[in-house]
Amino acid sequence: MTSTTASIRTFVLFASGCIALALLFINAPEGDFPSKYVKHGPVSPAAAPTRIDVDNDAHAIRFYVDGKQVALLDASGFKQ
């Protein structure tokens, strides 16, 4: 086998692999199918988010976890 034949064979195999991948991606399903490995139960209500509020009027920073204020930082320091 000459080097030209090997180069042509390598190119043909590479090109056919690229075409096969392109056809797989074009004809792939959208992905809206439910998973058979995940058990779907009732959805629980979402917890209130954890957030940090900056109160410029009071010169304080308030820390909230699950919707409840857990700490306050002002000029005198942290308060719970």
Side-chain angles (χ1 to χ4, degrees):
M1 182 177 350
T2 63
S3 64
T4 307
T5 307
S7 298
I8 292 172
R9 181 178 290 173
T10 303
F11 174 76
V12 168
L13 287 174
F14 178 74
S16 59
C18 290
I19 291 169
L21 280 174
L23 289 173
L24 281 173
F25 286 131
I26 289 171
N27 296 316
E30 293 296 321
D32 291 336
F33 300 109
S35 174
K36 63 182 177 180
Y37 301 109
V38 177
K39 296 188 188 285
H40 298 284
V43 178
S44 63
T50 301
R51 68 181 196 274
I52 300 172
D53 287 338
V54 178
D55 188 356
N56 289 328
D57 296 332
H59 301 288
I61 301 173
R62 292 181 171 80
F63 299 90
Y64 295 90
V65 175
D66 292 333
K68 299 175 188 170
Q69 183 175 333
V70 294
L72 173 75
L73 175 64
D74 60 3
S76 63
F78 272 106
K79 298 176 189 174
Q80 291 186 351

